[in-house]
Amino acid sequence: MTYTSVLTEIRGRVGLVTFNRPQAMNAFNAVMLGELFDALEAFDRDENVGAMVVTGNEKAFAAGADIKEMAEASPFEMITQGRVEKWDRIRGIKKVVIAAVSGWALGGGCEFALSCDMIVASETAKFGQPEITIGVIPGAGGTQRLARLLGKNLTMEMVINNRTLTAAEALQFGLANRVVPVERYLDDAVALAEEIAGRAPLAVHMAKDAVNAAFETTLTEGLKTEKRNFYPLFSTEDQKEGMKAFIEKRKANWKGK
Ligand code: CAA
């Protein structure tokens, strides 16, 4: 598949997607959004890929939805084109997706990073939801995902008063998993993804699903999901191999079965 607005490559067992609209600070137009999810879904199906990284460039991860593309849109057009529903495709990705963020992660760019499973940020990363400054609000999950991560008050400030978070703040508040010098953020994200790609695939999938349930349900329901994901793993070859390898003091050889 040939894309124009994203670049794709496989490094080791890691599928890498790079936003490729530097002239527009990697703003998501319809083409880039479609290509992003097509690429992620293709990597999700690819047996040679164990985990994914999505990145932009040093200056901008992504500056949000393309304002020029939607400036004249009516509500009817926004609804019929499913403008914000399209972002939900990230929820269907089964393998782990890491956002490698440097520079601006604004609006939909911040929301997309929050929709990934982990964030590795450069020291120059800045996270914000500036939609209020153009007369709208976040539409791709920002109000909900930020509130769950940061609590109400800071989210209010970000969404209502365009407060941006520095990389250090993102780390402090649990939004970023780690913050590293700009020269290293992509390599570190790929190395983290490679590490995850080397783990038992079915267990990784069940773990991701169970953690995500914590954001969707009550504790009782979430604990049920965890048990529903835990028990079936005892029917896998990888569980037998993993526990045998521990006892035999050797490295496990995962089969993904
Ligand atoms: N949409 C379209 N074009 C954008 C863009 C966006 N979101 N962000 C930047 N660009 C374009 C600029 O228009 C400019 O293009 P021209 O050279 O043709 O004028 C180019 O990218 C470079 O941008 P700047 O000159 O503004 O660069 P800067 O370094 O001075 O500022 C910035 C960088 C702070 C990211 C600034 O561009 C900016 O504030 N961008 C808009 C951020 C924003 O409001 N995002 C929210 C979008 S709405 C949304 O995302 C809704 C949702 O929930 C899904």
Side-chain angles (χ1 to χ4, degrees), residues 176-209:
N177 291 67
R178 56 187 77 167
V179 174
V180 298
V182 68
E183 305 77 42
R184 277 191 18 217
Y185 77 100
L186 183 55
D187 286 346
D188 279 25
V190 171
L192 178 59
E194 189 70 55
E195 223 176 299
I196 291 164
R199 299 199 180 278
L202 298 171
V204 170
H205 169 57
M206 290 301 206
K208 170 169 167 165
D209 183 69

Side-chain angles (χ1 to χ4, degrees), residues 26-257:
N26 291 329
F28 294 91
N29 62 6
V31 172
M32 190 170 100
L33 198 59
E35 289 184 356
L36 164 66
F37 290 119
D38 287 352
L40 290 176
E41 286 164 6
F43 281 148
D44 214 24
R45 291 188 298 268
D46 188 337
E47 284 182 3
N48 298 313
V49 170
M52 297 167 233
V53 171
V54 180
T55 196
N57 56 51
E58 283 186 14
K59 196 165 177 203
F61 176 69
D66 191 311
I67 298 168
K68 292 167 189 166
E69 197 180 59
M70 63 186 172
E72 299 301 326
S74 68
F76 182 72
E77 285 160 353
M78 292 294 281
I79 293 167
T80 50
Q81 289 166 12
R83 277 299 177 110
V84 283
E85 283 77 4
K86 287 180 180 160
W87 299 72
D88 288 339
R89 283 171 72 185
I90 186 69
R91 286 158 58 94
I93 303 292
K94 294 187 178 62
K95 292 173 188 164
V96 167
V97 183
I98 298 173
V101 178
S102 182
W104 296 110
L106 296 178
C110 181
E111 291 169 297
F112 177 76
L114 292 170
S115 307
C116 293
D117 301 307
M118 298 175 203
I119 297 177
V120 174
S122 88
E123 287 164 345
T124 65
K126 287 176 285 293
F127 298 85
Q129 298 289 159
E131 288 89 344
I132 199 79
T133 67
I134 51 172
V136 291
I137 67 169
T143 60
Q144 303 306 298
R145 290 202 173 89
L146 279 176
R148 280 165 169 76
L149 270 172
L150 306 175
K152 187 182 87 170
N153 293 20
L154 184 53
T155 301
M156 287 287 188
E157 197 181 343
M158 289 180 72
V159 170
I160 292 176
N161 206 31
N162 193 24
R163 156 89 140 89
T164 53
L165 296 185
T166 62
E169 287 173 325
L171 184 66
Q172 181 190 347
F173 300 138
L175 197 144
N177 291 67
R178 56 187 77 167
V179 174
V180 298
V182 68
E183 305 77 42
R184 277 191 18 217
Y185 77 100
L186 183 55
D187 286 346
D188 279 25
V190 171
L192 178 59
E194 189 70 55
E195 223 176 299
I196 291 164
R199 299 199 180 278
L202 298 171
V204 170
H205 169 57
M206 290 301 206
K208 170 169 167 165
D209 183 69
V211 174
N212 277 333
F215 296 94
E216 306 274 350
T217 54
T218 61
L219 179 61
T220 304
E221 282 306 312
L223 291 172
K224 280 186 198 162
T225 301
E226 187 184 81
K227 287 183 190 66
R228 270 200 300 271
N229 290 8
F230 173 77
Y231 287 128
L233 289 170
F234 283 77
S235 68
T236 66
E237 290 181 27
D238 282 349
Q239 174 268 327
K240 299 288 174 283
E241 163 66 6
M243 295 194 180
K244 199 161 170 257
F246 173 81
I247 293 162
E248 293 171 0
K249 299 187 189 300
R250 60 173 174 83
K251 198 168 176 293
N253 178 23
W254 307 122
K255 294 206 174 105
K257 292 187 200 166

